[in-house]
Amino acid sequence: MSDFWIYFEVGVRHVLNIFSYDHVLFLIALSVPYVFKDWKKILILVSLFTLGHTLALFLSVYEIIVVKVDIIEFLIPITILITAFFHLFTVGKTVKNNSISIVGVITLFFGIIHGLGFATYFKSIIGGTTDSKLLPLLEFATGIEAAQIIVVLIALIAAYCLQTLFRFSKRDWTLVTSSFVIGVVLPMIIESKIWIK
């Protein structure tokens, strides 16, 4: 049971790492148009992201797929930027409120990209034989899911407080928060190592 908590904690710390806040930015960008009554939709999206993240780690740990780290580190902020722009330009439209299928597929794909970004580090800490890697991977995924739910819950509480106490409209909250995320992620893209060749 103690091994469970080791990998669970690594998963939690991976998301809640102050020095690597790309996960938090993505989750904020993903959850910004939703409110508490949409909890099922946002939980599905977060779980799809975790599924994609775990699938990428599985493919990488078992060396089914190998990718260049520089490309993935460039694509991660791109996924955040796309998500923030999507919500910026669809704010107030009812299309995304009716169905999450398209957003869900994209979220799953973005989870794969984010998972590939962590694969090298995860492979270095997991060790062991091929047979002994699956359980730690699932334990790590459980930690990721728990931490992501915490982040989304905090984002929903912040949205509720600002929309209720300070009379921010849902539209204004989405516009301001999406713009903030874009402002934070653009320097990450500009300073990417991919441009240095």
Side-chain angles (χ1 to χ4, degrees):
M1 190 64 171
S2 62
D3 282 349
F4 170 82
W5 290 111
I6 291 169
Y7 290 106
F8 180 87
E9 185 180 348
V10 171
V12 169
R13 287 185 182 199
H14 171 58
V15 174
L16 302 178
N17 183 345
I18 196 162
F19 300 108
S20 179
Y21 47 87
D22 57 333
H23 250 96
V24 173
L25 280 176
F26 180 79
L27 292 168
I28 291 170
L30 184 67
S31 65
V32 73
Y34 299 102
V35 292
F36 278 110
K37 69 177 181 174
D38 302 319
W39 69 270
K40 287 181 184 174
K41 290 179 184 178
I42 194 66
L43 183 61
I44 290 169
L45 291 174
V46 167
S47 298
L48 285 170
F49 185 78
T50 303
L51 178 65
H53 196 281
T54 306
L55 177 62
L57 288 177
F58 177 84
L59 294 172
S60 181
V61 163
Y62 289 98
E63 297 182 1
I64 296 168
I65 188 170
V66 178
V67 293
K68 288 186 151 195
V69 176
D70 288 350
I71 293 171
I72 294 300
E73 286 180 1
F74 173 73
L75 290 176
I76 288 172
I78 295 293
T79 65
I80 300 166
L81 185 70
I82 291 169
T83 305
F85 268 124
F86 174 77
H87 291 308
L88 187 70
F89 290 116
T90 60
V91 67
K93 299 203 169 111
T94 57
V95 176
K96 70 178 175 298
N97 293 331
N98 295 334
S99 173
I100 61 166
S101 58
I102 294 170
V103 175
V105 170
I106 293 169
T107 302
L108 177 71
F109 177 69
F110 286 177
I112 292 170
I113 292 172
H114 283 248
L116 290 172
F118 190 68
T120 303
Y121 175 73
F122 189 73
K123 284 196 298 193
S124 73
I125 64 168
I126 197 168
T129 64
T130 303
D131 296 338
S132 65
K133 293 180 180 181
L134 186 58
L135 189 58
L137 182 61
L138 295 175
E139 294 163 348
F140 174 77
T142 307
I144 291 269
E145 182 76 0
Q148 290 181 156
I149 290 171
I150 290 169
V151 170
V152 168
L153 187 60
I154 291 169
L156 290 174
I157 290 170
Y160 176 80
C161 290
L162 286 169
Q163 291 174 34
T164 305
L165 301 175
F166 298 105
R167 303 286 183 215
F168 260 59
S169 70
K170 186 176 174 182
R171 181 182 184 280
D172 289 346
W173 168 252
T174 303
L175 289 173
V176 168
T177 307
S178 296
S179 298
F180 169 78
V181 170
I182 291 166
V184 172
V185 81
L186 277 176
M188 294 168 67
I189 295 168
I190 294 167
E191 295 167 6
S192 174
K193 293 177 185 175
I194 203 165
W195 305 116
I196 306 168
K197 294 267 175 171

